[in-house]
């Protein structure tokens, strides 16, 4: 968590998604690929519900709030993972060079362990919240100070911390895809690699994570830059075990339905993923459920951490972004998350076909004149029982008609034609069906869209930037 320059370039990039195997579910529901088995009874707390699928549901804890009985009662009851909000950062743990102070950090750690929780370490190398002595260093002196800091902190907690955010927020906002210009970056481009190699030697048992914000949207340059770094590290044997997505969603940096694609693409590189600092402006129940189901759908998603307990504990309290109100009462978002963790609204893809109906039009996704020709653009048409309106979801992420023709995107930009084409396994034929009713192209990150908000027979279907309009929402009938 840091101070955020809200967003990034709105320019979409045409990225070919690698190594993807998505499972889609019934339109209008949130599909959990790794959902708690039906044999489990529904759990009544977030941590217990998450544990059914081998995950955790955690929170950030501030040592100064541990004397608040409402705060500790909720935290003790609901969560099974703890991250120290500020107490393990550089300025807190090494206020003077070579003089470590773990009093506040240990208070958080000890409370967590005494209450049966695991602990994530946050964070070892970061451009922000450096003590003054570190801010004044540069070059090789700074590099050595970073190494010494990592060794000192990890030695104190060796064998006790399950995950460490080794490096935090090293990439720049915006469309450049560049590294952030920081004193650490100026010490040499290999500083991140050095930090991870140092951390592995210091505590071989801890999972080592890279953590950042505004990297949830697959199409953004910052996300792609982080992906390229992780891919390079894995190829060269740099010891990185996991990637943390802070997930501070708000009006400037909103949740996008391609977040699941992002998580899956990173997991395909051979790293675990985690949602590390979740808060959502206004705490909408549907978005909280979507994020939860995104984690559940990715087998390598370790778990979710919300950044604070109640709204009054949030670093963005004015945005009311958490699961509990100031008085400790549960919000609708809490119930939505608990239901998702307990396996609510999850189902397997239907084996047979079904109609896909536009919410705004009431008309069905239709192949004009029952054509079977490759390249035929889809349209809206009055719903009927014809085979040209029967769409079957496959566990490869396809939507098939006639058995061997796939819903196919002819491009990756706004206005690209959506057509039928012989199924061949390409990412332009993979779709994700979301709980808000949107249908998102895996390759493009754009939504299935009725052109011009049209509702009439013959309205053509295209790809377009997701807006949650009724012309982009669909149900299965």
């Amino acid at each position: 968590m840091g101070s955020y320059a809200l967003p990034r370039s709105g320019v979409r990039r045409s990225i070919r998604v690698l190594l993807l195997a998505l499972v889609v579910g019934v339109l209008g529901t949130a599909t959990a690929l790794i959902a708690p088995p039906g044999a489990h009874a529904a759990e009544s707390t977030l941590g217990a519900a998450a544990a059914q699928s081998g995950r955790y549901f955690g929170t950030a804890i501030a040592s100064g709030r541990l004397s608040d009985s409402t705060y500790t009662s909720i935290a003790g009851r609901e969560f099974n993972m703890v991250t120290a909000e500020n107490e393990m950062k550089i300025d807190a743990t090494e206020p003077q060079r070579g003089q470590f102070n773990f009093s506040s950090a240990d208070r958080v750690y000890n409370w967590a362990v005494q209450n049966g929780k695991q602990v994530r370490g946050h964070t070892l190398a970061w451009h922000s919240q450096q003590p003054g002595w570190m801010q004044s260093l540069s070059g090789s002196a700074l590099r050595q100070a970073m190494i010494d800091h990592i060794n000192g902190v990890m030695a104190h907690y060796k064998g006790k911390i399950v995950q460490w955010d080794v490096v935090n927020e090293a990439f720049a906002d915006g469309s450049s895809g560049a590294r952030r210009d920081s004193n650490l970056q100026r010490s040499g481009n290999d500083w991140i690699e050095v930090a991870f190699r140092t951390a592995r030697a210091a505590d071989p048992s801890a999972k080592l994570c890279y953590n950042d914000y505004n990297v949830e949207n697959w199409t953004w340059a910052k996300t792609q830059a982080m992906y390229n770094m992780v891919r390079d590290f894995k190829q060269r044997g740099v010891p990185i075990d996991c990637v943390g997505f802070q997930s501070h969603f708000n009006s400037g940096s909103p949740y996008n339905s391609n977040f699941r694609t992002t998580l899956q693409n990173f997991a395909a590189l051979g790293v675990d993923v985690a949602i590390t600092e979740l808060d959502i402006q206004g705490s909408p129940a549907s978005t909280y459920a979507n994020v939860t189901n995104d984690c559940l759908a990715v087998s390598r998603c370790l778990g979710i951490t919300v950044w604070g307990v109640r709204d009054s504990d949030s670093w963005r309290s004015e945005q009311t972004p958490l699961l509990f109100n100031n008085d400790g009462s549960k919000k609708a978002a809490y119930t939505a998350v608990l239901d998702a963790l307990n396996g609510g609204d999850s189902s397997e893809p239907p084996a047979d076909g079904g109609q896909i109906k536009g919410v705004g039009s009431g008309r069905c996704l239709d192949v004009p004149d029952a054509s079977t020709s490759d390249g035929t653009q889809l349209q809206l048409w009055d719903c009927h029982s014809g085979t040209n309106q029967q769409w079957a979801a496959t566990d490869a992420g396809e939507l098939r008609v006639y058995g061997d023709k796939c819903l196919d995107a002819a491009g990756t930009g706004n206005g690209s034609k959506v057509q039928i084409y012989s199924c061949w396994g390409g990412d332009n034929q993979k779709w994700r069906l979301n709980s808000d009713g949107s249908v998102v192209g895996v390759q493009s990150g754009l939504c299935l869209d009725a052109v011009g908000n049209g509702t009439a027979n013959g309205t053509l279907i295209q790809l377009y930037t997701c807006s949650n309009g009724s012309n982009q929402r669909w149900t299965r009938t």
Side-chain angles (χ1 to χ4, degrees):
M1 186 270 287
S3 55
Y4 293 85
L6 287 176
R8 76 308 170 202
S9 165
V11 177
R12 291 186 176 271
R13 299 174 57 190
S14 177
I15 309 294
R16 186 167 188 80
V17 180
L18 302 174
L19 301 174
L20 216 54
L22 293 177
V23 173
V24 294
V26 178
L27 279 159
T29 68
T31 297
L33 177 60
I34 307 296
H40 285 296
E43 295 288 353
S44 60
T45 65
L46 299 171
Q52 294 177 110
S53 64
R55 293 172 174 80
Y56 61 79
F57 203 97
T59 190
I61 291 292
S63 62
R65 292 190 172 93
L66 289 176
S67 58
D68 181 330
S69 60
T70 302
Y71 180 88
T72 54
S73 176
I74 296 169
R77 179 186 74 232
E78 295 289 342
F79 305 106
N80 57 355
M81 179 71 79
V82 161
T83 304
E85 188 168 354
N86 289 292
E87 291 79 357
M88 291 187 185
K89 291 174 180 174
I90 308 168
D91 55 353
T93 53
E94 194 178 1
Q96 301 297 324
R97 187 170 187 178
Q99 298 178 20
F100 290 90
N101 185 338
F102 297 105
S103 57
S104 294
D106 283 350
R107 188 177 183 206
V108 173
Y109 175 83
N110 291 336
W111 180 88
V113 171
Q114 289 162 9
N115 285 274
K117 305 174 194 315
Q118 293 185 306
V119 179
R120 295 189 74 254
H122 177 78
T123 179
L124 296 168
W126 189 25
H127 71 276
S128 187
Q129 287 186 239
Q130 294 179 2
W133 66 264
M134 183 174 279
Q135 295 175 36
S136 68
L137 298 179
S138 61
S140 59
L142 177 62
R143 174 66 61 85
Q144 189 60 53
M146 178 192 77
I147 293 170
D148 293 344
H149 179 79
I150 293 171
N151 282 327
V153 174
M154 294 190 78
H156 182 77
Y157 290 109
K158 187 173 183 178
K160 299 178 179 180
I161 301 287
V162 293
Q163 299 172 38
W164 270 109
D165 289 334
V166 177
V167 173
N168 201 43
E169 302 174 3
F171 287 93
D173 288 305
S175 60
S176 69
R179 294 277 186 90
R180 180 188 297 275
D181 180 23
S182 68
N183 61 348
L184 289 167
Q185 179 63 29
R186 290 190 295 272
S187 74
N189 199 56
D190 64 340
W191 74 274
I192 301 176
E193 176 177 345
V194 170
F196 275 91
R197 292 192 185 280
T198 303
R200 173 66 87 229
D203 187 352
S205 67
K207 284 185 181 290
L208 307 182
C209 307
Y210 175 81
N211 192 55
D212 216 325
Y213 68 97
N214 280 1
V215 288
E216 295 77 21
N217 187 320
W218 176 245
T219 68
W220 288 355
K222 188 174 180 180
T223 309
Q224 293 300 310
M226 184 173 76
Y227 177 87
N228 290 334
M229 180 192 73
V230 175
R231 180 173 58 185
D232 171 63
F233 280 10
K234 292 301 291 183
Q235 289 173 345
R236 294 192 296 109
V238 178
I240 184 170
D241 303 311
C242 48
V243 177
F245 298 82
Q246 293 184 16
S247 305
H248 296 292
F249 295 119
N250 53 59
S251 57
S253 182
Y255 170 81
N256 187 286
S257 57
N258 69 24
F259 184 33
R260 189 178 304 185
T261 298
T262 304
L263 295 175
Q264 289 191 308
N265 287 349
F266 276 86
L269 293 176
V271 293
D272 294 328
V273 294
I275 297 168
T276 55
E277 303 182 20
L278 178 64
D279 48 31
I280 308 175
Q281 183 174 352
S283 55
S286 60
T287 308
Y288 260 108
N290 287 342
V291 173
T292 303
N293 280 308
D294 288 341
C295 179
L296 290 170
V298 179
S299 60
R300 296 198 71 150
C301 185
L302 300 169
I304 298 170
T305 297
V306 287
W307 206 245
V309 177
R310 306 160 297 188
D311 284 339
S312 54
D313 307 313
S314 170
W315 69 302
R316 287 178 165 170
S317 58
E318 74 283 355
Q319 295 184 1
T320 60
L322 296 175
L323 299 175
F324 294 88
N325 293 305
N326 293 352
D327 63 1
S329 58
K330 300 170 182 176
K331 297 184 182 181
Y334 170 93
T335 303
V337 169
L338 185 64
D339 287 348
L341 292 171
N342 276 321
D345 294 332
S346 65
S347 62
E348 292 299 316
D352 54 353
Q355 293 170 320
I356 298 174
K357 182 183 288 187
V359 170
S361 66
R363 293 187 163 89
C364 280
L365 195 64
D366 177 279
V367 185
D369 302 319
S371 172
T372 59
S373 298
D374 285 348
T376 301
Q377 186 169 8
L378 300 178
Q379 64 178 5
L380 294 177
W381 200 263
D382 291 333
C383 298
H384 55 73
S385 59
T387 57
N388 64 323
Q389 291 187 357
Q390 299 298 311
W391 300 90
T394 75
D395 60 8
E398 302 161 328
L399 286 168
R400 292 192 174 213
V401 66
Y402 310 134
D404 63 349
K405 299 292 182 180
C406 275
L407 188 71
D408 179 286
T412 57
N414 281 338
S416 293
K417 179 171 74 171
V418 175
Q419 59 189 5
I420 60 166
Y421 208 88
S422 298
C423 300
W424 64 282
D427 293 329
N428 65 317
Q429 295 185 347
K430 306 276 180 63
W431 305 86
R432 190 154 61 76
L433 285 59
N434 300 307
S435 60
D436 62 1
S438 62
V439 180
V440 177
V442 166
Q443 184 183 53
S444 66
L446 304 182
C447 274
L448 200 67
D449 177 282
V451 172
N453 292 303
T455 58
N457 280 336
T459 299
L460 295 175
I461 306 300
Q462 63 180 0
L463 292 179
Y464 212 81
T465 302
C466 299
S467 65
N468 200 36
S470 62
N471 67 317
Q472 292 185 351
R473 287 186 282 119
W474 310 84
T475 60
R476 183 178 290 276
T477 60

